[in-house]
Amino acid sequence: MEIHKDKKHKWPGLKPGITRKLSTLFLFFILIFYGTLVVLFLDVQQMMKTSEQIVGVNNRISELSTSMQESLLSMDVNDKKYRLLGKEMYRDYFESARTDFEAALKGIVGLDSPGYRLSKRWNGIQRNYVAHLKDARLELQGGAWAGEETLNGWIRDLAEARLENEKEIENALITINARSKESLKKGLLGLGLSVLMAVLGVVVVSRSMLTPLKALTRGVKILPGNKTAAMVETNARDEFGELAAAFNEMSRQLKEEEDLRSDFIASLSHEIRTPLSSIRESVNMIMEEVLGPVNQKQRKFLHIADSEIARISDLFDHLLHLSRLESRVQQVRFLAVDPNRLIRDAADILVPKAEKKEIRLNLHAMAEPPMVMGGEKEILQVLLNIIGNAIKFSYKGGTIDISTMADHGAVMFRIADNGPGIPEGEEALIFNKYYRSREIRNHMDGVGLGLNISRKIVEFHHGKIWMENHPDKGCSFYFTLPC
Ligand code: ADP
């Protein structure tokens, strides 16, 4: 046999996929998570900038408009003083207050920018200033530079413009509030998306891992005793795909080796059985004194030879039977068989063996049994194997109950003994090929094929076979056959 120890297989088209799937998922998750964080950060920054700008501009406007109002009043007072006292210095004060007014007005109008829309009213005030105030001159003899009413109109205009400004600020604050709500929504959406991504990721990755794993588990379960090589079908092109391909290769090789072994055993058994029969016949002829008288001592050794030959033929019979069952060469004639007759036949065959150990065989045949469909010889073989074991392993003077009963459209056979039972922990192994419990291995005959053959026959009939174990109190074997 050739053993490929470190042979590295190349599977064309297969790429490592689990790592890629996990990294893609992780990348998406990180992108959504950090994307949301960046959007929120930008939003908050924008809101802070806007509110800072609004507060700054608002303070500046109210400062400048107050200064404008004060300049207007100062201009009016100095006009009155000039006209009353005629001193030139009041004219200078008037001019200086006008310059202040002009500068403040310019300052306010200059605040208008793409980032901040100034109220239109300030443009009106500026137009008014150019039309009426810019060129106003103080006259000693003339009237006041501006009438009471005009002055009040100016002051009212300034107050209204300031109010309008405050209104705009209020609107801007409302916008900021709406924007913060929007940001909260975006944050929640991002969070929801991340959670969805994580859940989806878990589902996708676990599905892509679980499906091939389940297929592999199924393959591993049917591997022992399977007639054809157990193959795992998977479309996975990742590491699991590689594992499945490696498993299929291993399964194919195992099957090939198993077939080789079966063929070898079958031909060996066949080749050995014929000379064995001749030897047995010769021994019998000598024992029956056909060839001359045989003394007591010679007879004793001839008996030993006869039973050893019988044992070896038995072993080869089992091996041959098994290999025929496995390769399906065995032809089974399916007929309707009476289950009660089968247990009676099996008991009749085995009574002499049971009597030798003073074991009682109790038959519990069901009334009006339905016929089971199957090969009579094969089902009888199953019964002989199981009842034979019960007799073999039971203590002297034991009892064996053999029953038939109805079981959901099938007939159930039960063989219960009160022998030693199966050693604990070995129950799952008893139907395996060549299994023999460690306790009896050294002092009892057997090859560990009887139960394996029985299972193959029962499954061939689409039935089920199982065992209930009661260590030290015996065990019960069951099998069902369809009616
Ligand atoms: P064999 O009887 O040739 O050893 P089997 O396949 O019939 O092979 O049985 C396998 C093993 O199962 C036996 O060697 C024995 O250890 C165990 N076994 C089977 N039937 C019984 C039983 N009725 N009581 C106790 N052990 C049993």
Side-chain angles (χ1 to χ4, degrees), residues 170-200:
E170 209 179 295
N171 286 342
L173 288 176
I174 289 170
T175 315
I176 288 176
N177 193 21
R179 209 168 175 158
S180 69
K181 278 184 187 158
E182 189 67 24
S183 298
L184 189 72
K185 265 193 213 159
K186 278 184 201 162
L188 287 177
L189 187 76
L191 188 75
L193 273 176
S194 322
V195 171
L196 192 77
M197 200 66 211
V199 173
L200 258 172

Short mmCIF file of all heavy atoms in Angstrom, two decimals, residues 170-200:
data_model
loop_
_atom_site.label_atom_id
_atom_site.label_comp_id
_atom_site.label_asym_id
_atom_site.label_seq_id
_atom_site.Cartn_x
_atom_site.Cartn_y
_atom_site.Cartn_z
N GLU A 170 -33.00 83.45 16.09
CA GLU A 170 -33.91 82.43 16.63
C GLU A 170 -34.14 81.33 15.58
O GLU A 170 -34.08 80.14 15.88
CB GLU A 170 -35.23 83.09 16.97
CG GLU A 170 -35.97 82.39 18.11
CD GLU A 170 -37.26 83.14 18.40
OE1 GLU A 170 -37.16 84.29 18.83
OE2 GLU A 170 -38.33 82.55 18.14
N ASN A 171 -34.37 81.80 14.32
CA ASN A 171 -34.57 80.83 13.22
C ASN A 171 -33.36 79.93 13.05
O ASN A 171 -33.47 78.72 12.86
CB ASN A 171 -34.84 81.55 11.90
CG ASN A 171 -36.24 82.15 11.88
OD1 ASN A 171 -37.08 81.75 12.69
ND2 ASN A 171 -36.46 83.12 11.02
N ALA A 172 -32.18 80.58 13.12
CA ALA A 172 -30.94 79.79 12.96
C ALA A 172 -30.83 78.75 14.07
O ALA A 172 -30.43 77.60 13.83
CB ALA A 172 -29.74 80.72 13.00
N LEU A 173 -31.24 79.16 15.28
CA LEU A 173 -31.16 78.19 16.39
C LEU A 173 -32.13 77.03 16.17
O LEU A 173 -31.83 75.87 16.47
CB LEU A 173 -31.46 78.88 17.72
CG LEU A 173 -30.32 79.81 18.19
CD1 LEU A 173 -30.71 80.55 19.46
CD2 LEU A 173 -29.02 79.03 18.41
N ILE A 174 -33.32 77.39 15.60
CA ILE A 174 -34.29 76.31 15.30
C ILE A 174 -33.67 75.34 14.28
O ILE A 174 -33.78 74.12 14.41
CB ILE A 174 -35.61 76.91 14.76
CG1 ILE A 174 -36.33 77.61 15.93
CG2 ILE A 174 -36.51 75.84 14.16
CD1 ILE A 174 -37.51 78.46 15.52
N THR A 175 -32.99 75.91 13.26
CA THR A 175 -32.34 75.07 12.24
C THR A 175 -31.30 74.16 12.91
O THR A 175 -31.21 72.97 12.60
CB THR A 175 -31.64 75.94 11.18
OG1 THR A 175 -32.53 76.98 10.82
CG2 THR A 175 -31.23 75.13 9.98
N ILE A 176 -30.53 74.74 13.82
CA ILE A 176 -29.50 73.94 14.50
C ILE A 176 -30.14 72.79 15.28
O ILE A 176 -29.69 71.64 15.25
CB ILE A 176 -28.66 74.83 15.45
CG1 ILE A 176 -27.76 75.72 14.61
CG2 ILE A 176 -27.82 73.97 16.40
CD1 ILE A 176 -26.95 76.70 15.41
N ASN A 177 -31.25 73.11 15.92
CA ASN A 177 -31.96 72.09 16.70
C ASN A 177 -32.42 70.96 15.78
O ASN A 177 -32.22 69.77 16.08
CB ASN A 177 -33.15 72.77 17.38
CG ASN A 177 -33.75 71.87 18.44
OD1 ASN A 177 -33.06 70.98 18.91
ND2 ASN A 177 -34.99 72.09 18.79
N ALA A 178 -33.02 71.38 14.60
CA ALA A 178 -33.48 70.37 13.64
C ALA A 178 -32.30 69.51 13.16
O ALA A 178 -32.39 68.30 13.02
CB ALA A 178 -34.15 71.05 12.46
N ARG A 179 -31.18 70.19 12.97
CA ARG A 179 -29.99 69.50 12.48
C ARG A 179 -29.47 68.50 13.51
O ARG A 179 -29.03 67.40 13.17
CB ARG A 179 -28.92 70.54 12.20
CG ARG A 179 -28.03 70.05 11.10
CD ARG A 179 -27.17 71.14 10.62
NE ARG A 179 -26.26 70.59 9.66
CZ ARG A 179 -25.66 71.31 8.77
NH1 ARG A 179 -25.93 72.57 8.70
NH2 ARG A 179 -24.81 70.77 7.94
N SER A 180 -29.56 68.89 14.76
CA SER A 180 -29.06 67.96 15.79
C SER A 180 -29.97 66.73 15.85
O SER A 180 -29.51 65.61 16.05
CB SER A 180 -28.96 68.65 17.16
OG SER A 180 -30.26 68.91 17.62
N LYS A 181 -31.29 66.96 15.63
CA LYS A 181 -32.21 65.81 15.60
C LYS A 181 -31.87 64.90 14.43
O LYS A 181 -31.87 63.67 14.54
CB LYS A 181 -33.65 66.30 15.48
CG LYS A 181 -34.22 66.71 16.83
CD LYS A 181 -35.67 67.10 16.70
CE LYS A 181 -36.17 67.67 18.01
NZ LYS A 181 -37.33 68.49 17.82
N GLU A 182 -31.57 65.55 13.29
CA GLU A 182 -31.19 64.81 12.08
C GLU A 182 -29.94 63.96 12.36
O GLU A 182 -29.86 62.80 11.97
CB GLU A 182 -30.92 65.85 10.97
CG GLU A 182 -30.73 65.28 9.58
CD GLU A 182 -31.98 64.66 9.02
OE1 GLU A 182 -33.12 65.02 9.45
OE2 GLU A 182 -31.82 63.78 8.18
N SER A 183 -28.99 64.57 13.07
CA SER A 183 -27.74 63.86 13.39
C SER A 183 -28.04 62.66 14.27
O SER A 183 -27.46 61.59 14.11
CB SER A 183 -26.78 64.78 14.13
OG SER A 183 -26.46 65.84 13.32
N LEU A 184 -28.95 62.86 15.22
CA LEU A 184 -29.31 61.76 16.11
C LEU A 184 -29.89 60.60 15.29
O LEU A 184 -29.55 59.43 15.48
CB LEU A 184 -30.35 62.24 17.12
CG LEU A 184 -30.66 61.25 18.23
CD1 LEU A 184 -29.49 61.16 19.19
CD2 LEU A 184 -31.92 61.65 18.98
N LYS A 185 -30.74 60.98 14.31
CA LYS A 185 -31.35 59.96 13.43
C LYS A 185 -30.26 59.21 12.68
O LYS A 185 -30.27 57.99 12.57
CB LYS A 185 -32.29 60.64 12.43
CG LYS A 185 -33.72 60.65 12.90
CD LYS A 185 -34.61 61.04 11.73
CE LYS A 185 -35.81 61.83 12.21
NZ LYS A 185 -36.40 62.62 11.16
N LYS A 186 -29.29 60.00 12.13
CA LYS A 186 -28.20 59.39 11.37
C LYS A 186 -27.41 58.43 12.25
O LYS A 186 -27.05 57.32 11.84
CB LYS A 186 -27.25 60.47 10.85
CG LYS A 186 -27.73 61.14 9.59
CD LYS A 186 -26.67 62.12 9.12
CE LYS A 186 -27.25 63.17 8.19
NZ LYS A 186 -26.39 64.33 8.05
N GLY A 187 -27.17 58.87 13.50
CA GLY A 187 -26.43 58.03 14.44
C GLY A 187 -27.16 56.72 14.69
O GLY A 187 -26.57 55.64 14.64
N LEU A 188 -28.49 56.84 14.91
CA LEU A 188 -29.29 55.63 15.18
C LEU A 188 -29.31 54.72 13.97
O LEU A 188 -29.19 53.50 14.08
CB LEU A 188 -30.72 56.02 15.57
CG LEU A 188 -30.86 56.62 16.97
CD1 LEU A 188 -32.29 57.04 17.22
CD2 LEU A 188 -30.41 55.61 18.03
N LEU A 189 -29.40 55.35 12.77
CA LEU A 189 -29.40 54.56 11.53
C LEU A 189 -28.08 53.81 11.38
O LEU A 189 -28.06 52.61 11.06
CB LEU A 189 -29.61 55.49 10.33
CG LEU A 189 -29.79 54.79 9.00
CD1 LEU A 189 -31.19 54.21 8.91
CD2 LEU A 189 -29.56 55.74 7.83
N GLY A 190 -26.98 54.54 11.66
CA GLY A 190 -25.66 53.90 11.58
C GLY A 190 -25.55 52.75 12.55
O GLY A 190 -25.07 51.67 12.21
N LEU A 191 -26.08 52.97 13.76
CA LEU A 191 -26.02 51.92 14.78
C LEU A 191 -26.83 50.70 14.32
O LEU A 191 -26.38 49.56 14.39
CB LEU A 191 -26.61 52.47 16.08
CG LEU A 191 -26.46 51.57 17.29
CD1 LEU A 191 -25.03 51.61 17.78
CD2 LEU A 191 -27.40 52.00 18.40
N GLY A 192 -28.06 51.00 13.81
CA GLY A 192 -28.91 49.91 13.31
C GLY A 192 -28.23 49.14 12.21
O GLY A 192 -28.22 47.91 12.19
N LEU A 193 -27.60 49.90 11.27
CA LEU A 193 -26.90 49.25 10.15
C LEU A 193 -25.76 48.37 10.64
O LEU A 193 -25.56 47.26 10.15
CB LEU A 193 -26.36 50.30 9.19
CG LEU A 193 -27.32 50.76 8.11
CD1 LEU A 193 -26.70 51.86 7.29
CD2 LEU A 193 -27.71 49.59 7.20
N SER A 194 -25.03 48.88 11.64
CA SER A 194 -23.90 48.08 12.17
C SER A 194 -24.42 46.80 12.79
O SER A 194 -23.86 45.72 12.57
CB SER A 194 -23.11 48.84 13.22
OG SER A 194 -22.99 50.16 12.90
N VAL A 195 -25.53 46.92 13.57
CA VAL A 195 -26.08 45.72 14.22
C VAL A 195 -26.56 44.74 13.15
O VAL A 195 -26.27 43.54 13.20
CB VAL A 195 -27.25 46.11 15.17
CG1 VAL A 195 -27.96 44.87 15.67
CG2 VAL A 195 -26.71 46.91 16.34
N LEU A 196 -27.27 45.28 12.12
CA LEU A 196 -27.77 44.43 11.04
C LEU A 196 -26.61 43.72 10.35
O LEU A 196 -26.65 42.52 10.07
CB LEU A 196 -28.51 45.30 10.03
CG LEU A 196 -29.33 44.53 9.01
CD1 LEU A 196 -30.61 44.04 9.65
CD2 LEU A 196 -29.64 45.40 7.81
N MET A 197 -25.56 44.48 10.10
CA MET A 197 -24.36 43.95 9.45
C MET A 197 -23.77 42.81 10.29
O MET A 197 -23.40 41.76 9.76
CB MET A 197 -23.36 45.10 9.35
CG MET A 197 -22.29 44.92 8.35
SD MET A 197 -22.97 44.92 6.73
CE MET A 197 -21.79 43.83 5.99
N ALA A 198 -23.71 43.06 11.62
CA ALA A 198 -23.12 42.05 12.51
C ALA A 198 -23.98 40.79 12.48
O ALA A 198 -23.47 39.67 12.34
CB ALA A 198 -23.02 42.61 13.92
N VAL A 199 -25.34 40.96 12.58
CA VAL A 199 -26.23 39.80 12.58
C VAL A 199 -26.12 39.04 11.26
O VAL A 199 -25.96 37.82 11.22
CB VAL A 199 -27.70 40.24 12.84
CG1 VAL A 199 -28.66 39.08 12.67
CG2 VAL A 199 -27.83 40.80 14.24
N LEU A 200 -26.18 39.84 10.16
CA LEU A 200 -26.07 39.21 8.83
C LEU A 200 -24.76 38.45 8.70
O LEU A 200 -24.72 37.33 8.19
CB LEU A 200 -26.09 40.31 7.76
CG LEU A 200 -27.43 40.47 7.06
CD1 LEU A 200 -27.40 41.69 6.18
CD2 LEU A 200 -27.71 39.23 6.23
#
